[in-house]
Amino acid sequence: MTHSEENYLKAIYHLTTVSSSDVSTNAIAEMMETKASSVTDMIKKLAEKGLVNYKKYQGVSLTDPGSLAAKMIVRKHRLWEVFLVEKLDFSWDEVHDIAEQLEHIKSEKLINKLDDFLGNPTEDPHGDAIPDKNGEIQKVDKQLLSDLNIGQKGICVGVKDTSSEFLKYLDKQEISLGSLIEFIDKEEFDLSLKIKVDDKFLNISNKIASNIFMKVN
């Protein structure tokens, strides 16, 4: 596959994880920041290779081979993110763009050795699950901080928004994976939250809370 084909497969995969229905070409175009007509052309190519199912006006879904291929791209991306953070001391807000380039390396042997070298991690630095070499993913029971009830507490296990801006914001607030967060109160006017992070009290917007994944104790 070309890099472009791999990027499309990965985009479709990510969209299917948040929707139970087939993915629209418009949704793919928005994620890929391109025209819907360009998406249609690419989808036809992927369909000819047996990687997606496509019916005009009905959306797109991954075939079993397409799903496995997409998971392998995601696997490479997330393993490289772990490597960059754990072994090269990159911060979690720096690694996405670099991993976007490294994910196109073709050598399966290299990626499997990288996986073993890192101790076969199951999550990347942002808390996203890493598929194993067979495409299997360990599911983690998690909820958004914004969906918790007052008084509940748990561990931060991931982020929904992986943009550099959001991750830098969390760094400023000293919120990271593994932080113990307690939901203290909610402001009815704007739905902002008062929380306790480890031993520090903070007020955060509902938008921030809607991008933090929690594992409740």
Side-chain angles (χ1 to χ4, degrees):
M1 285 185 289
T2 66
H3 288 190
S4 182
E5 288 171 340
E6 290 185 342
N7 288 337
Y8 269 87
L9 271 188
K10 188 175 70 166
I12 297 166
Y13 172 77
H14 285 313
L15 289 167
T16 58
T17 61
V18 296
S19 173
S20 57
S21 59
D22 288 354
V23 178
S24 71
T25 52
N26 285 335
I28 300 169
E30 184 176 347
M31 177 169 274
M32 298 295 295
E33 298 181 348
T34 189
K35 300 175 183 177
S37 58
S38 299
V39 172
T40 301
D41 291 341
M42 176 59 76
I43 294 305
K44 289 178 179 177
K45 291 180 183 178
L46 295 174
E48 288 173 1
K49 292 187 175 185
L51 298 170
V52 302
N53 296 309
Y54 171 63
K55 290 184 179 179
K56 198 171 183 180
Y57 307 122
Q58 293 184 26
V60 181
S61 63
L62 294 170
T63 62
D64 288 342
S67 179
L68 181 60
K71 287 176 181 177
M72 291 302 99
I73 299 163
V74 170
R75 168 176 163 80
K76 289 185 282 186
H77 181 103
R78 293 176 179 172
L79 283 173
W80 283 119
E81 287 191 335
V82 174
F83 175 76
L84 291 166
V85 169
E86 291 190 358
K87 305 301 180 183
L88 298 184
D89 294 325
F90 280 82
S91 62
W92 67 340
D93 61 273
E94 295 178 304
V95 295
H96 178 75
D97 288 345
I98 304 171
E100 288 274 289
Q101 301 171 56
L102 293 170
E103 70 185 29
H104 297 294
I105 291 173
K106 303 297 184 186
S107 173
E108 184 178 338
K109 182 177 180 180
L110 170 63
I111 300 306
N112 289 338
K113 282 186 173 289
L114 175 65
D115 191 12
D116 290 339
F117 173 69
L118 295 171
N120 308 115
T122 57
E123 297 175 351
D124 74 7
H126 310 112
D128 292 318
I130 300 175
D132 67 16
K133 61 184 178 182
N134 299 313
E136 299 295 324
I137 297 174
Q138 289 189 19
K139 297 290 184 181
V140 177
D141 185 21
K142 58 187 179 181
Q143 299 172 259
L144 291 172
L145 176 55
S146 57
D147 291 337
L148 301 189
N149 297 317
I150 293 172
Q152 284 188 291
K153 59 184 176 182
I155 302 295
C156 173
V157 294
V159 290
K160 188 175 180 180
D161 182 349
T162 58
S163 67
S164 176
E165 293 78 11
F166 181 63
L167 298 176
K168 286 178 179 177
Y169 170 85
L170 293 184
D171 283 340
K172 286 180 183 178
Q173 304 302 328
E174 298 181 348
I175 297 173
S176 60
L177 301 191
S179 293
L180 177 63
I181 302 177
E182 183 176 357
F183 187 170
I184 303 297
D185 201 6
K186 178 182 283 189
E187 177 58 57
E188 292 301 324
F189 175 68
D190 62 357
L191 302 180
S192 59
L193 279 65
K194 181 177 182 180
I195 62 173
K196 184 181 179 183
V197 181
D198 297 322
D199 294 318
K200 183 174 68 174
F201 289 94
L202 288 174
N203 290 301
I204 62 172
S205 69
N206 188 264
K207 182 178 180 180
I208 296 298
S210 297
N211 280 289
I212 297 174
F213 284 118
M214 301 286 296
K215 184 175 184 180
V216 178
N217 293 340

CSV table of all heavy atoms in Angstrom, one decimal, residues 1 4-16 21-25 28 32 38-56 58-71 73:
chain,number,residue,atom,x,y,z
A,1,MET,N,0.8,-1.2,0.0
A,1,MET,CA,0.0,0.0,0.0
A,1,MET,C,0.9,1.3,0.0
A,1,MET,O,2.0,1.3,0.6
A,1,MET,CB,-0.9,0.0,1.2
A,1,MET,CG,-2.1,-0.9,1.2
A,1,MET,SD,-3.1,-0.7,2.6
A,1,MET,CE,-2.1,-1.4,3.9
A,4,SER,N,-0.5,7.1,1.4
A,4,SER,CA,-1.9,7.7,1.3
A,4,SER,C,-2.9,6.7,1.6
A,4,SER,O,-3.9,6.9,2.3
A,4,SER,CB,-2.1,8.3,-0.1
A,4,SER,OG,-3.4,9.0,-0.1
A,5,GLU,N,-2.8,5.5,1.0
A,5,GLU,CA,-3.8,4.4,1.2
A,5,GLU,C,-3.8,4.0,2.7
A,5,GLU,O,-4.8,3.8,3.3
A,5,GLU,CB,-3.5,3.2,0.4
A,5,GLU,CG,-3.8,3.4,-1.1
A,5,GLU,CD,-3.3,2.3,-2.0
A,5,GLU,OE1,-2.3,1.6,-1.6
A,5,GLU,OE2,-3.8,2.2,-3.1
A,6,GLU,N,-2.6,3.9,3.3
A,6,GLU,CA,-2.5,3.6,4.7
A,6,GLU,C,-3.2,4.7,5.6
A,6,GLU,O,-3.8,4.3,6.6
A,6,GLU,CB,-1.0,3.4,5.1
A,6,GLU,CG,-0.4,2.2,4.5
A,6,GLU,CD,1.0,1.9,5.0
A,6,GLU,OE1,1.6,2.9,5.6
A,6,GLU,OE2,1.5,0.8,4.9
A,7,ASN,N,-2.9,5.9,5.2
A,7,ASN,CA,-3.5,7.0,6.0
A,7,ASN,C,-5.1,7.0,5.9
A,7,ASN,O,-5.8,7.2,6.9
A,7,ASN,CB,-3.1,8.4,5.5
A,7,ASN,CG,-1.6,8.6,5.8
A,7,ASN,OD1,-1.1,8.1,6.8
A,7,ASN,ND2,-0.9,9.5,5.1
A,8,TYR,N,-5.6,6.6,4.8
A,8,TYR,CA,-7.1,6.5,4.6
A,8,TYR,C,-7.6,5.3,5.5
A,8,TYR,O,-8.6,5.5,6.1
A,8,TYR,CB,-7.5,6.3,3.2
A,8,TYR,CG,-7.7,7.6,2.5
A,8,TYR,CD1,-6.7,8.3,1.9
A,8,TYR,CD2,-9.0,8.2,2.4
A,8,TYR,CE1,-6.9,9.5,1.2
A,8,TYR,CE2,-9.3,9.4,1.7
A,8,TYR,CZ,-8.2,10.0,1.1
A,8,TYR,OH,-8.4,11.2,0.5
A,9,LEU,N,-6.9,4.2,5.4
A,9,LEU,CA,-7.3,3.0,6.2
A,9,LEU,C,-7.4,3.4,7.7
A,9,LEU,O,-8.3,3.0,8.4
A,9,LEU,CB,-6.4,1.9,6.0
A,9,LEU,CG,-6.7,0.9,4.8
A,9,LEU,CD1,-5.7,-0.3,4.9
A,9,LEU,CD2,-8.1,0.4,4.8
A,10,LYS,N,-6.3,4.1,8.1
A,10,LYS,CA,-6.3,4.4,9.6
A,10,LYS,C,-7.4,5.4,9.9
A,10,LYS,O,-8.0,5.3,11.0
A,10,LYS,CB,-4.9,5.1,9.9
A,10,LYS,CG,-4.7,5.3,11.4
A,10,LYS,CD,-3.3,5.8,11.7
A,10,LYS,CE,-3.1,7.2,11.1
A,10,LYS,NZ,-1.9,7.9,11.7
A,11,ALA,N,-7.7,6.3,9.1
A,11,ALA,CA,-8.8,7.3,9.3
A,11,ALA,C,-10.1,6.6,9.4
A,11,ALA,O,-10.9,6.9,10.3
A,11,ALA,CB,-8.8,8.4,8.2
A,12,ILE,N,-10.4,5.7,8.5
A,12,ILE,CA,-11.6,4.9,8.5
A,12,ILE,C,-11.7,4.1,9.8
A,12,ILE,O,-12.7,4.0,10.4
A,12,ILE,CB,-11.7,4.0,7.3
A,12,ILE,CG1,-11.8,4.8,6.0
A,12,ILE,CG2,-13.0,3.1,7.4
A,12,ILE,CD1,-11.6,4.1,4.7
A,13,TYR,N,-10.6,3.5,10.2
A,13,TYR,CA,-10.6,2.7,11.4
A,13,TYR,C,-10.9,3.5,12.6
A,13,TYR,O,-11.7,3.1,13.5
A,13,TYR,CB,-9.2,2.1,11.6
A,13,TYR,CG,-9.0,1.4,12.9
A,13,TYR,CD1,-9.5,0.1,13.2
A,13,TYR,CD2,-8.3,2.0,14.0
A,13,TYR,CE1,-9.4,-0.5,14.4
A,13,TYR,CE2,-8.1,1.4,15.2
A,13,TYR,CZ,-8.7,0.1,15.4
A,13,TYR,OH,-8.6,-0.5,16.6
A,14,HIS,N,-10.3,4.7,12.7
A,14,HIS,CA,-10.6,5.6,13.9
A,14,HIS,C,-12.1,6.0,13.9
A,14,HIS,O,-12.7,6.1,15.0
A,14,HIS,CB,-9.7,6.8,13.8
A,14,HIS,CG,-8.3,6.5,14.2
A,14,HIS,ND1,-7.9,5.8,15.4
A,14,HIS,CD2,-7.1,6.9,13.7
A,14,HIS,CE1,-6.6,5.7,15.5
A,14,HIS,NE2,-6.1,6.4,14.5
A,15,LEU,N,-12.6,6.3,12.7
A,15,LEU,CA,-14.0,6.7,12.6
A,15,LEU,C,-14.9,5.6,13.0
A,15,LEU,O,-16.0,5.8,13.6
A,15,LEU,CB,-14.3,7.2,11.2
A,15,LEU,CG,-13.7,8.6,10.9
A,15,LEU,CD1,-13.8,8.9,9.4
A,15,LEU,CD2,-14.4,9.7,11.7
A,16,THR,N,-14.6,4.3,12.7
A,16,THR,CA,-15.4,3.2,13.0
A,16,THR,C,-15.4,2.9,14.5
A,16,THR,O,-16.4,2.3,15.0
A,16,THR,CB,-15.0,1.9,12.3
A,16,THR,OG1,-13.6,1.6,12.6
A,16,THR,CG2,-15.2,2.1,10.8
A,21,SER,N,-22.2,2.6,12.8
A,21,SER,CA,-22.7,2.6,11.4
A,21,SER,C,-21.5,2.7,10.5
A,21,SER,O,-20.4,3.1,10.9
A,21,SER,CB,-23.8,3.6,11.2
A,21,SER,OG,-23.3,4.9,11.5
A,22,ASP,N,-21.8,2.5,9.2
A,22,ASP,CA,-20.8,2.7,8.2
A,22,ASP,C,-20.4,4.2,8.2
A,22,ASP,O,-21.1,5.1,8.5
A,22,ASP,CB,-21.3,2.4,6.8
A,22,ASP,CG,-21.5,0.9,6.6
A,22,ASP,OD1,-21.0,0.1,7.6
A,22,ASP,OD2,-22.0,0.4,5.6
A,23,VAL,N,-19.1,4.4,7.8
A,23,VAL,CA,-18.5,5.8,7.8
A,23,VAL,C,-18.9,6.5,6.5
A,23,VAL,O,-18.7,5.9,5.4
A,23,VAL,CB,-17.0,5.7,8.0
A,23,VAL,CG1,-16.4,7.1,8.0
A,23,VAL,CG2,-16.7,5.0,9.3
A,24,SER,N,-19.3,7.8,6.6
A,24,SER,CA,-19.6,8.5,5.4
A,24,SER,C,-18.3,9.1,4.8
A,24,SER,O,-17.3,9.3,5.5
A,24,SER,CB,-20.5,9.7,5.8
A,24,SER,OG,-19.8,10.7,6.5
A,25,THR,N,-18.4,9.3,3.5
A,25,THR,CA,-17.2,9.9,2.8
A,25,THR,C,-17.0,11.3,3.3
A,25,THR,O,-15.8,11.8,3.3
A,25,THR,CB,-17.5,9.9,1.3
A,25,THR,OG1,-18.7,10.5,1.0
A,25,THR,CG2,-17.5,8.5,0.7
A,28,ILE,N,-14.9,11.1,6.4
A,28,ILE,CA,-13.5,10.8,6.0
A,28,ILE,C,-12.8,12.0,5.5
A,28,ILE,O,-11.7,12.3,5.8
A,28,ILE,CB,-13.4,9.6,5.0
A,28,ILE,CG1,-14.1,8.4,5.6
A,28,ILE,CG2,-12.0,9.4,4.6
A,28,ILE,CD1,-14.3,7.3,4.6
A,32,MET,N,-9.5,13.8,6.9
A,32,MET,CA,-8.3,13.8,6.0
A,32,MET,C,-8.0,15.2,5.5
A,32,MET,O,-7.0,15.4,4.8
A,32,MET,CB,-8.5,12.8,4.9
A,32,MET,CG,-8.6,11.4,5.2
A,32,MET,SD,-7.1,10.7,6.0
A,32,MET,CE,-6.0,10.8,4.6
A,38,SER,N,-12.2,13.4,-3.7
A,38,SER,CA,-10.9,12.7,-3.6
A,38,SER,C,-11.0,11.4,-2.7
A,38,SER,O,-10.4,10.4,-3.0
A,38,SER,CB,-9.8,13.6,-3.0
A,38,SER,OG,-9.6,14.8,-3.8
A,39,VAL,N,-11.9,11.5,-1.7
A,39,VAL,CA,-12.1,10.4,-0.8
A,39,VAL,C,-12.8,9.3,-1.6
A,39,VAL,O,-12.4,8.1,-1.5
A,39,VAL,CB,-13.0,10.8,0.3
A,39,VAL,CG1,-13.5,9.5,1.1
A,39,VAL,CG2,-12.3,11.8,1.3
A,40,THR,N,-13.8,9.6,-2.4
A,40,THR,CA,-14.4,8.6,-3.2
A,40,THR,C,-13.5,7.9,-4.2
A,40,THR,O,-13.5,6.6,-4.3
A,40,THR,CB,-15.6,9.3,-4.1
A,40,THR,OG1,-16.5,9.9,-3.2
A,40,THR,CG2,-16.3,8.2,-4.9
A,41,ASP,N,-12.6,8.6,-4.8
A,41,ASP,CA,-11.6,8.0,-5.7
A,41,ASP,C,-10.7,7.0,-4.9
A,41,ASP,O,-10.4,5.9,-5.4
A,41,ASP,CB,-10.7,9.0,-6.3
A,41,ASP,CG,-11.4,9.9,-7.3
A,41,ASP,OD1,-12.5,9.5,-7.8
A,41,ASP,OD2,-10.9,11.0,-7.6
A,42,MET,N,-10.3,7.4,-3.7
A,42,MET,CA,-9.4,6.5,-2.9
A,42,MET,C,-10.2,5.3,-2.4
A,42,MET,O,-9.7,4.2,-2.4
A,42,MET,CB,-8.8,7.3,-1.7
A,42,MET,CG,-8.0,6.4,-0.8
A,42,MET,SD,-6.6,5.6,-1.6
A,42,MET,CE,-5.4,7.0,-1.7
A,43,ILE,N,-11.4,5.5,-2.0
A,43,ILE,CA,-12.2,4.4,-1.5
A,43,ILE,C,-12.4,3.3,-2.6
A,43,ILE,O,-12.4,2.1,-2.3
A,43,ILE,CB,-13.6,4.9,-1.0
A,43,ILE,CG1,-13.4,5.8,0.2
A,43,ILE,CG2,-14.5,3.8,-0.6
A,43,ILE,CD1,-12.7,5.2,1.4
A,44,LYS,N,-12.6,3.8,-3.8
A,44,LYS,CA,-12.8,2.8,-4.9
A,44,LYS,C,-11.5,2.0,-5.1
A,44,LYS,O,-11.6,0.8,-5.3
A,44,LYS,CB,-13.1,3.6,-6.2
A,44,LYS,CG,-14.5,4.1,-6.2
A,44,LYS,CD,-14.8,4.9,-7.5
A,44,LYS,CE,-16.2,5.5,-7.5
A,44,LYS,NZ,-16.4,6.3,-8.7
A,45,LYS,N,-10.3,2.6,-4.9
A,45,LYS,CA,-9.1,1.9,-5.0
A,45,LYS,C,-8.9,0.9,-3.9
A,45,LYS,O,-8.5,-0.3,-4.1
A,45,LYS,CB,-7.9,2.9,-4.9
A,45,LYS,CG,-7.7,3.8,-6.1
A,45,LYS,CD,-6.5,4.7,-6.0
A,45,LYS,CE,-6.4,5.7,-7.1
A,45,LYS,NZ,-5.3,6.6,-6.9
A,46,LEU,N,-9.3,1.3,-2.7
A,46,LEU,CA,-9.2,0.4,-1.5
A,46,LEU,C,-10.2,-0.8,-1.6
A,46,LEU,O,-9.9,-1.9,-1.2
A,46,LEU,CB,-9.5,1.1,-0.2
A,46,LEU,CG,-8.4,2.2,0.2
A,46,LEU,CD1,-8.9,3.0,1.4
A,46,LEU,CD2,-7.1,1.6,0.4
A,47,ALA,N,-11.4,-0.5,-2.2
A,47,ALA,CA,-12.4,-1.5,-2.4
A,47,ALA,C,-11.9,-2.5,-3.5
A,47,ALA,O,-12.1,-3.8,-3.3
A,47,ALA,CB,-13.7,-0.9,-2.9
A,48,GLU,N,-11.2,-2.1,-4.5
A,48,GLU,CA,-10.6,-3.0,-5.5
A,48,GLU,C,-9.6,-3.9,-4.9
A,48,GLU,O,-9.4,-5.1,-5.4
A,48,GLU,CB,-10.0,-2.2,-6.6
A,48,GLU,CG,-11.1,-1.5,-7.5
A,48,GLU,CD,-10.4,-0.6,-8.5
A,48,GLU,OE1,-9.1,-0.5,-8.6
A,48,GLU,OE2,-11.2,0.1,-9.3
A,49,LYS,N,-8.9,-3.5,-3.8
A,49,LYS,CA,-7.9,-4.3,-3.2
A,49,LYS,C,-8.5,-5.1,-2.1
A,49,LYS,O,-7.8,-5.9,-1.4
A,49,LYS,CB,-6.8,-3.4,-2.5
A,49,LYS,CG,-6.0,-2.7,-3.6
A,49,LYS,CD,-4.8,-1.9,-2.9
A,49,LYS,CE,-3.9,-1.3,-4.0
A,49,LYS,NZ,-2.7,-0.7,-3.4
A,50,GLY,N,-9.9,-5.1,-1.9
A,50,GLY,CA,-10.5,-5.9,-0.9
A,50,GLY,C,-10.4,-5.4,0.5
A,50,GLY,O,-10.5,-6.2,1.5
A,51,LEU,N,-10.0,-4.1,0.7
A,51,LEU,CA,-9.8,-3.6,2.0
A,51,LEU,C,-11.0,-2.9,2.7
A,51,LEU,O,-11.0,-2.7,3.9
A,51,LEU,CB,-8.6,-2.6,2.0
A,51,LEU,CG,-7.2,-3.3,1.5
A,51,LEU,CD1,-6.2,-2.2,1.3
A,51,LEU,CD2,-6.8,-4.3,2.6
A,52,VAL,N,-11.9,-2.4,1.8
A,52,VAL,CA,-13.1,-1.8,2.3
A,52,VAL,C,-14.3,-2.3,1.6
A,52,VAL,O,-14.2,-2.7,0.4
A,52,VAL,CB,-13.0,-0.2,2.3
A,52,VAL,CG1,-11.8,0.3,3.0
A,52,VAL,CG2,-13.0,0.2,0.8
A,53,ASN,N,-15.5,-2.2,2.2
A,53,ASN,CA,-16.7,-2.3,1.5
A,53,ASN,C,-17.3,-0.9,1.2
A,53,ASN,O,-17.3,-0.1,2.1
A,53,ASN,CB,-17.7,-3.1,2.4
A,53,ASN,CG,-17.3,-4.5,2.7
A,53,ASN,OD1,-16.9,-5.3,1.8
A,53,ASN,ND2,-17.2,-4.9,4.0
A,54,TYR,N,-17.8,-0.7,0.0
A,54,TYR,CA,-18.3,0.6,-0.3
A,54,TYR,C,-19.5,0.5,-1.2
A,54,TYR,O,-19.4,-0.2,-2.3
A,54,TYR,CB,-17.2,1.4,-1.0
A,54,TYR,CG,-17.7,2.7,-1.6
A,54,TYR,CD1,-18.2,3.7,-0.8
A,54,TYR,CD2,-17.7,3.0,-3.0
A,54,TYR,CE1,-18.7,4.9,-1.3
A,54,TYR,CE2,-18.1,4.2,-3.5
A,54,TYR,CZ,-18.6,5.1,-2.6
A,54,TYR,OH,-19.1,6.3,-3.2
A,55,LYS,N,-20.5,1.1,-0.8
A,55,LYS,CA,-21.7,1.3,-1.7
A,55,LYS,C,-22.1,2.8,-1.7
A,55,LYS,O,-22.2,3.4,-0.7
A,55,LYS,CB,-22.9,0.5,-1.1
A,55,LYS,CG,-22.7,-1.0,-1.3
A,55,LYS,CD,-24.0,-1.8,-0.8
A,55,LYS,CE,-23.8,-3.3,-0.9
A,55,LYS,NZ,-25.0,-4.0,-0.5
A,56,LYS,N,-22.3,3.2,-2.9
A,56,LYS,CA,-22.6,4.7,-3.1
A,56,LYS,C,-23.7,5.1,-2.2
A,56,LYS,O,-24.8,4.4,-2.2
A,56,LYS,CB,-22.9,5.0,-4.6
A,56,LYS,CG,-22.7,6.4,-4.9
A,56,LYS,CD,-22.8,6.6,-6.5
A,56,LYS,CE,-22.7,8.1,-6.8
A,56,LYS,NZ,-22.7,8.2,-8.3
A,58,GLN,N,-24.1,4.9,0.8
A,58,GLN,CA,-24.4,4.1,2.0
A,58,GLN,C,-23.2,4.0,3.0
A,58,GLN,O,-23.3,3.5,4.1
A,58,GLN,CB,-24.7,2.6,1.6
A,58,GLN,CG,-26.1,2.5,0.9
A,58,GLN,CD,-26.5,1.1,0.6
A,58,GLN,OE1,-26.0,0.2,1.3
A,58,GLN,NE2,-27.3,0.9,-0.4
A,59,GLY,N,-22.1,4.6,2.6
A,59,GLY,CA,-20.9,4.7,3.5
A,59,GLY,C,-19.9,3.6,3.3
A,59,GLY,O,-20.0,2.8,2.4
A,60,VAL,N,-18.9,3.6,4.1
A,60,VAL,CA,-17.7,2.7,4.0
A,60,VAL,C,-17.5,1.9,5.3
A,60,VAL,O,-17.7,2.4,6.4
A,60,VAL,CB,-16.5,3.6,3.7
A,60,VAL,CG1,-15.2,2.7,3.5
A,60,VAL,CG2,-16.7,4.5,2.5
A,61,SER,N,-17.1,0.7,5.1
A,61,SER,CA,-16.7,-0.2,6.3
A,61,SER,C,-15.5,-0.9,5.9
A,61,SER,O,-15.2,-1.2,4.7
A,61,SER,CB,-17.8,-1.1,6.7
A,61,SER,OG,-18.2,-2.0,5.7
A,62,LEU,N,-14.7,-1.3,6.9
A,62,LEU,CA,-13.5,-2.1,6.6
A,62,LEU,C,-13.8,-3.6,6.5
A,62,LEU,O,-14.7,-4.1,7.2
A,62,LEU,CB,-12.5,-1.9,7.8
A,62,LEU,CG,-11.9,-0.5,8.0
A,62,LEU,CD1,-11.2,-0.5,9.3
A,62,LEU,CD2,-11.0,-0.1,6.8
A,63,THR,N,-13.2,-4.2,5.5
A,63,THR,CA,-13.3,-5.7,5.4
A,63,THR,C,-12.4,-6.3,6.5
A,63,THR,O,-11.6,-5.5,7.2
A,63,THR,CB,-12.8,-6.2,4.1
A,63,THR,OG1,-11.4,-5.8,3.9
A,63,THR,CG2,-13.6,-5.6,2.9
A,64,ASP,N,-12.4,-7.6,6.8
A,64,ASP,CA,-11.5,-8.2,7.8
A,64,ASP,C,-10.0,-7.9,7.4
A,64,ASP,O,-9.3,-7.5,8.3
A,64,ASP,CB,-11.8,-9.7,7.9
A,64,ASP,CG,-13.1,-10.0,8.6
A,64,ASP,OD1,-13.6,-9.1,9.3
A,64,ASP,OD2,-13.6,-11.1,8.4
A,65,PRO,N,-9.6,-8.1,6.2
A,65,PRO,CA,-8.2,-7.8,5.8
A,65,PRO,C,-7.9,-6.3,6.0
A,65,PRO,O,-6.8,-5.9,6.5
A,65,PRO,CB,-8.1,-8.2,4.4
A,65,PRO,CG,-9.1,-9.2,4.2
A,65,PRO,CD,-10.3,-8.8,5.0
A,66,GLY,N,-8.9,-5.4,5.7
A,66,GLY,CA,-8.7,-4.0,5.8
A,66,GLY,C,-8.6,-3.6,7.3
A,66,GLY,O,-7.8,-2.7,7.7
A,67,SER,N,-9.4,-4.2,8.2
A,67,SER,CA,-9.4,-3.9,9.6
A,67,SER,C,-8.0,-4.3,10.2
A,67,SER,O,-7.4,-3.6,11.0
A,67,SER,CB,-10.5,-4.7,10.3
A,67,SER,OG,-10.5,-4.4,11.7
A,68,LEU,N,-7.5,-5.5,9.8
A,68,LEU,CA,-6.2,-6.0,10.3
A,68,LEU,C,-5.1,-5.1,9.8
A,68,LEU,O,-4.2,-4.7,10.6
A,68,LEU,CB,-6.0,-7.4,9.8
A,68,LEU,CG,-4.7,-8.0,10.3
A,68,LEU,CD1,-4.6,-8.1,11.8
A,68,LEU,CD2,-4.5,-9.4,9.8
A,69,ALA,N,-5.2,-4.6,8.6
A,69,ALA,CA,-4.1,-3.8,8.0
A,69,ALA,C,-4.1,-2.4,8.8
A,69,ALA,O,-3.1,-1.9,9.1
A,69,ALA,CB,-4.4,-3.5,6.5
A,70,ALA,N,-5.3,-1.9,9.0
A,70,ALA,CA,-5.4,-0.6,9.8
A,70,ALA,C,-4.9,-0.8,11.2
A,70,ALA,O,-4.2,0.1,11.7
A,70,ALA,CB,-6.9,-0.2,9.8
A,71,LYS,N,-5.2,-1.9,11.8
A,71,LYS,CA,-4.7,-2.1,13.2
A,71,LYS,C,-3.2,-2.2,13.2
A,71,LYS,O,-2.6,-1.8,14.2
A,71,LYS,CB,-5.3,-3.4,13.8
A,71,LYS,CG,-6.8,-3.2,14.2
A,71,LYS,CD,-7.4,-4.6,14.7
A,71,LYS,CE,-8.8,-4.4,15.0
A,71,LYS,NZ,-9.4,-5.8,15.4
A,73,ILE,N,-1.2,-0.6,11.3
A,73,ILE,CA,-0.7,0.8,11.1
A,73,ILE,C,-0.8,1.5,12.5
A,73,ILE,O,0.2,2.2,12.9
A,73,ILE,CB,-1.5,1.6,10.0
A,73,ILE,CG1,-1.3,0.9,8.7
A,73,ILE,CG2,-1.0,3.0,10.0
A,73,ILE,CD1,-2.4,1.3,7.7
